[in-house]
Amino acid sequence: MLTYIDRLRGLREDYDLTQAQIAEILGTSQTMYARYERGANELPIRHFITLCKFYNVSADFLLGTTPNPARKQKRIIHP
């Protein structure tokens, strides 16, 4: 099963972007972004949200709760 780190790296590579380019979008250094991709540092939620918007994918997809970034999850409404 892919982790959110694997999915972020995969998206970055699919878009032919460098770690430095993503770091610039996040307003951080390439070194710090590399640490996020290695799992050495936790990715801050503000960066997670920024990357979801940038890649136009849901948080569910990045977190691995849905396999398809385009598929919407049905909401469960409890009475």
Side-chain angles (χ1 to χ4, degrees), residues 4-77:
Y4 80 94
I5 294 168
D6 297 324
R7 289 177 188 257
L8 283 175
R9 183 181 306 119
L11 283 167
R12 180 180 59 76
E13 291 172 350
D14 287 348
Y15 281 75
D16 293 324
L17 297 170
T18 65
Q19 289 181 341
Q21 289 170 309
I22 297 301
E24 186 175 333
I25 290 163
L26 298 177
T28 192
S29 68
Q30 181 276 329
T31 302
M32 183 55 75
Y33 184 75
R35 292 179 62 82
Y36 298 149
E37 276 197 5
R38 282 196 320 272
N41 283 72
E42 291 281 329
L43 181 71
I45 192 71
R46 70 182 184 277
H47 290 337
F48 187 84
I49 292 167
T50 299
L51 292 173
C52 286
K53 290 177 182 178
F54 177 77
Y55 291 122
N56 195 29
V57 296
S58 70
D60 289 335
F61 169 72
L62 284 182
L63 293 173
T65 59
T66 183
N68 185 339
R71 190 176 123 219
K72 301 255 183 197
Q73 291 284 4
K74 290 186 180 180
R75 291 183 62 184
I76 298 173
I77 302 172

